[in-house]
Amino acid sequence: QHAIELEKTACNDRSWIVRKAATDSLAKTASVDDLASLRKLATMLEDFDPLPRMAAIYGIAELCGVGHRKAIKLAEARLEHRDAGTRQACVQLLEKIATQDMTEIVRKVQERLEDEDEHVRDSAYYALEAIKKTAPERRRWISDLPDLGDLDRLGFESSDDEEEGQ
């Protein structure tokens, strides 16, 4: 429990790398019935940086799986957020966890096809395609996102390199 509280605090760090890592860690250590952690992950959908948002999308999808009503409600509540990145993240999360029998969710994602932001519109199109194919069942969803543990491989300089140079 103490580790989860530390992860929640780290989600507010100034560094996007720390926020992304904390979001990944929180998603892995929280349980599906830990609503406080699920709410914190949903808050990360509102992060101003895209990588912590993506970590929240995949983290919630993996933690909750397809058809998890609370996760769907948390994404639905942010579909009309003032920030286009948040709207897009919520559409992308619904792409992974909503099912074809959720007519109200389908309608709300369809509304995003008229969004002022082209990225939200594109994501809504692909989300609708995926939702139409997802049968109403409860199942786990597994990420295909790369592990960002090796930042050098991804083209980011790690703090370890800075220390070695001194």
Side-chain angles (χ1 to χ4, degrees):
Q1 187 61 36
H2 182 67
I4 288 177
E5 293 308 316
L6 289 173
E7 290 159 347
K8 288 180 193 175
T9 301
C11 285
N12 298 325
D13 195 90
R14 288 182 8 186
S15 168
W16 70 264
I17 294 173
V18 173
R19 291 192 315 276
K20 195 257 183 233
T23 303
D24 283 337
S25 182
L26 180 59
K28 286 182 174 77
T29 56
S31 65
V32 72
D33 54 349
D34 179 359
L35 293 181
S37 293
L38 185 55
R39 283 188 199 101
K40 184 61 182 178
L41 288 169
T43 301
M44 295 308 294
L45 294 169
E46 301 174 19
D47 196 277
F48 59 89
D49 192 279
L51 290 175
R53 284 196 308 261
M54 288 303 295
I57 293 166
Y58 283 88
I60 293 170
E62 289 178 7
L63 176 63
C64 298
V66 173
H68 190 277
R69 300 286 178 184
K70 184 64 178 176
I72 290 166
K73 288 288 184 197
L74 289 167
E76 178 185 11
R78 292 167 172 80
L79 278 174
E80 295 185 29
H81 194 275
R82 70 186 174 281
D83 179 65
T86 297
R87 294 192 306 274
Q88 182 181 17
C90 292
V91 166
Q92 291 171 331
L93 175 57
L94 290 170
E95 174 182 345
K96 294 165 183 21
I97 63 174
T99 58
Q100 59 192 218
D101 63 327
M102 298 177 177
T103 55
E104 184 63 15
I105 294 299
V106 169
R107 184 187 66 74
K108 288 184 176 188
V109 173
Q110 283 174 330
E111 289 175 2
R112 295 295 101 211
L113 291 171
E114 304 297 322
D115 197 277
E116 64 193 41
D117 185 272
E118 68 178 300
H119 301 292
V120 177
R121 293 191 304 266
D122 289 345
S123 293
Y125 172 82
Y126 292 111
L128 288 169
E129 292 296 310
I131 292 169
K132 288 176 189 173
K133 296 176 187 173
T134 306
E137 61 185 54
R138 185 89 169 84
R139 69 173 192 269
R140 303 283 293 165
W141 193 91
I142 304 301
S143 170
D144 57 359
L145 264 186
D147 177 16
L148 292 184
D150 185 3
L151 294 176
D152 295 327
R153 181 179 57 79
L154 296 172
F156 296 102
E157 294 180 18
S158 67
S159 59
D160 294 341
D161 293 339
E162 294 170 7
E163 293 171 10
E164 289 172 8
Q166 294 179 351

